[in-house]
Amino acid sequence: MNENIKPRRVRSIPALRDLTAETIAISKKLIMPHFVIEGENVRQDISSMPGIQRVSIDNFIRDAINDFTLGIKSIIVFGIPSIKDEKASGAYDEKGIVQRAVRALKNECPDICIITDVCLCEYTSHGHCGIVTNGKIENEPTLELLARTALSHVAAGADVVAPSDMMDGRVFAIRAALDHNGFSHIPILSYAAKYASSFYGPFREAAESAPAFGDRSSYQMDFRNAREALREVLLDIDEGADMVMVKPALAYLDIIQRVRSLVDVPICAYNVSGEYSMVKAAASLQFGDERKLVVEILTAIFRAGADFIISYHTRDIVKNGWL
Ligand code: PBG
């Protein structure tokens, strides 16, 4: 044993700890999610996600601009249509909820980075992320609709499209549709390693997107698998993904780390609804200090290798100067 080696020497005072810190979490690396619904001047609380609301387009614009002036430069938008059908028509309607919201916000605030979630589950009557025939979620017919959805988001002004459906080949289909329509400059952030997770529960309340039958295990990944995530990531990059996502984040830090050591494209981690709700519940029961929990969790996600994070905590962090 070498008694001269004392790791505590560099932990003695805060300034030295800051100098030697390996990971710096900063709010510029965070993305705030928004849930947009039909109507005017509507604000609905989401009972399982305290502090997050579903808002109509007018309030969405107000909130996003307010956040932008505070320093939240990037958002991800989810739409909840008033009508759902078998073909998810609202997903690729030029006058759909997301398309109108994006168009209106870009008009008012051109410098904001708008990412749109490209999926069908909020728009299908059965709540699955693809077209259903005889109880099966069909891959190929879904691709065309996803590509149309992505194209309509970009035509409305989205800066980045983020397919979250987990169909095979969707990145390629979306890339082709964008390229053929003059949008070869628009990047794709693919939800590449997206697991079938119980941590999405609160989101499904917010987005009214719980599947009416079965679950998402025939398309989202099995949480027992890690090597498969690497395969999904490589496939998506091969199909043209510019950035890849690991989702959820907190129980999947090993996946983030493995993806980080495998690829050089930017990696996003999604600190999902259930992770948010757990922290809010713990804080409200006084089982933990909310600020400290949030900072530790987000720093751990960055430490694992994420370049940026989608988190419902973003507004609290930026408003209160937690980072
Ligand atoms: C749509 C989608 C989901 C989430 C993001 N996009 C739900 C799901 O796959 O069931 C979950 C986000 C969260 O829990 O915060 N497919």
Side-chain angles (χ1 to χ4, degrees), residues 33 35 49 76 78 117-122 127 129 162 164-165 191 194-195 197 199-204 207 209-211 216 219-220 247 270-275 310 312:
F35 296 105
M49 300 179 75
I76 184 161
F78 298 95
D117 181 86
V118 175
C119 197
L120 305 186
C121 62
E122 293 104 304
C129 305
S164 69
D165 52 282
Y191 287 67
K194 176 174 177 180
Y195 287 85
S197 171
F199 287 100
Y200 307 153
F203 174 96
R204 291 181 189 165
S209 65
R216 304 208 199 289
Y219 41 107
Q220 297 181 348
K247 177 185 172 192
Y270 200 141
N271 175 219
V272 300
S273 58
E275 299 171 42
I310 301 173
Y312 301 93

Side-chain angles (χ1 to χ4, degrees), residues 82-93:
S82 48
I83 297 168
K84 301 177 190 243
D85 62 24
E86 296 270 298
K87 294 181 300 182
S89 310
Y92 39 89
D93 181 351

Side-chain angles (χ1 to χ4, degrees), residues 8 18 22 50 77 83 105 125 137-138 147 150 166 173 178 184 193-194 209 212 231 267 299 316 321:
R8 287 187 55 193
D18 280 343
E22 297 173 33
V77 183
I83 297 168
L105 179 59
S125 39
I137 292 87
E138 294 210 274
M166 287 300 277
L178 296 183
S184 57
K194 176 174 177 180
S209 65
R231 188 159 182 250
I267 298 173
T299 304
D316 287 339

Side-chain angles (χ1 to χ4, degrees), residues 1-6:
M1 187 176 110
N2 182 344
E3 284 163 25
N4 294 325
I5 298 175
K6 297 191 189 306

Side-chain angles (χ1 to χ4, degrees), residues 68-253:
F68 187 82
T69 57
L70 295 174
I72 302 174
K73 309 286 184 193
S74 299
I75 62 169
I76 184 161
V77 183
F78 298 95
I80 300 117
S82 48
I83 297 168
K84 301 177 190 243
D85 62 24
E86 296 270 298
K87 294 181 300 182
S89 310
Y92 39 89
D93 181 351
E94 291 177 14
K95 298 203 176 73
I97 182 79
V98 166
Q99 291 81 354
R100 277 180 289 132
V102 169
R103 209 169 271 125
L105 179 59
K106 259 290 149 175
N107 213 15
E108 300 262 334
C109 188
D111 294 334
I112 195 164
C113 173
I114 306 180
I115 304 168
T116 56
D117 181 86
V118 175
C119 197
L120 305 186
C121 62
E122 293 104 304
Y123 304 89
T124 51
S125 39
H126 45 68
H128 276 290
C129 305
I131 291 300
V132 172
T133 313
N134 300 328
K136 288 234 161 24
I137 292 87
E138 294 210 274
N139 202 86
E140 305 318 305
T142 304
L143 297 183
E144 192 210 322
L145 301 185
L146 290 168
R148 280 171 68 183
T149 303
L151 189 55
S152 68
H153 290 177
V154 172
D159 298 283
V160 179
V161 285
S164 69
D165 52 282
M166 287 300 277
M167 297 298 125
D168 293 329
R170 79 274 169 74
V171 174
F172 187 81
I174 291 172
R175 184 72 272 158
L178 296 183
D179 290 355
H180 290 149
N181 288 279
F183 297 118
S184 57
H185 58 290
I186 296 290
I188 298 175
L189 163 60
S190 117
Y191 287 67
K194 176 174 177 180
Y195 287 85
S197 171
S198 295
F199 287 100
Y200 307 153
F203 174 96
R204 291 181 189 165
E205 180 201 336
E208 294 171 1
S209 65
F213 65 90
D215 58 27
R216 304 208 199 289
S217 314
S218 77
Y219 41 107
Q220 297 181 348
M221 282 185 51
D222 187 320
F223 58 73
R224 294 172 294 187
N225 298 349
R227 292 193 301 268
E228 190 187 13
L230 306 183
R231 188 159 182 250
E232 284 281 5
V233 164
L234 291 177
L235 277 171
D236 281 8
I237 292 173
D238 194 47
E239 288 178 34
D242 301 280
M243 302 173 276
V244 292
M245 192 192 301
V246 175
K247 177 185 172 192
L250 193 51
Y252 296 81
L253 296 178

